[in-house]
């Protein structure tokens, strides 16, 4: 397997000052996916942003893994609702704008 787009967990563990078991538990909770390549553990580059968010929640808010899971789910729902609101507002503007023709 090509490790070009993978980040070694040992580097992240050192960088974020967390134990390797922290990442194992995140994997067990289904919050991240760990790839094993030749006895080394990695995550994808796309997952790093999520890991940063999780580490901040864990360190700054002192959330456990269950709390992190709940917080991430709520943040996802908020993002979906924001997108729905934007879509609805854009539709509403079409009907409120007197310069727009309704027969386009």
């Amino acid at each position: 397997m090509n490790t070009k787009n993978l980040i070694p967990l040992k580097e992240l563990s050192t960088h974020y000052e967390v134990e390797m078991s922290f990442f194992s538990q995140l994997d067990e909770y289904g919050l991240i996916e760990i790839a094993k390549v030749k006895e080394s553990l990695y995550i994808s580059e796309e997952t790093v942003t999520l890991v940063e968010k999780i580490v901040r929640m864990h360190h700054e808010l002192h959330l456990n893994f269950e709390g992190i899971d709940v917080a991430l789910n709520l943040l996802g729902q908020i993002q979906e609702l924001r997108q729905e609101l934007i879509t609805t507002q854009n539709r509403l503007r079409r009907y409120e704008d007197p310069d727009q023709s309704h027969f386009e």
Side-chain angles (χ1 to χ4, degrees):
M1 174 185 251
N2 185 4
T3 60
K4 181 180 175 186
N5 295 327
L6 298 176
I7 309 296
L9 283 185
K10 282 191 177 196
E11 286 182 21
L12 288 177
S13 177
T14 303
H15 180 75
Y16 293 117
E17 299 176 356
V18 295
E19 299 291 325
M20 287 294 288
S21 62
F22 179 79
F23 296 107
S24 298
Q25 289 176 315
L26 292 177
D27 185 49
E28 287 174 18
Y29 275 92
L31 298 174
I32 65 170
E33 187 174 322
I34 295 176
K36 187 174 184 178
V37 180
K38 297 182 182 178
E39 302 302 317
S40 295
L41 301 174
Y42 300 88
I43 61 168
S44 68
E45 286 180 344
E46 297 85 31
T47 306
V48 172
T49 303
L50 175 61
V51 167
E52 288 175 349
K53 189 182 291 187
I54 289 170
V55 169
R56 280 196 319 271
M57 286 181 191
H58 184 67
H59 283 187
E60 296 172 13
L61 302 175
H62 307 288
L63 293 180
N64 60 16
F65 296 104
E66 293 88 355
I68 291 169
D69 188 30
V70 169
L72 290 174
N73 285 328
L74 289 173
L75 289 170
Q77 289 176 359
I78 289 169
Q79 186 60 35
E80 288 176 21
L81 289 171
R82 281 183 180 157
Q83 191 57 49
E84 277 184 48
L85 179 61
I86 290 168
T87 301
T88 303
Q89 287 173 331
N90 289 339
R91 286 183 185 157
L92 185 58
R93 279 190 195 104
R94 277 190 258 161
Y95 295 107
E96 290 180 337
D97 189 356
D99 294 334
Q100 281 259 14
S101 171
H102 296 292
F103 301 104
E104 292 179 9

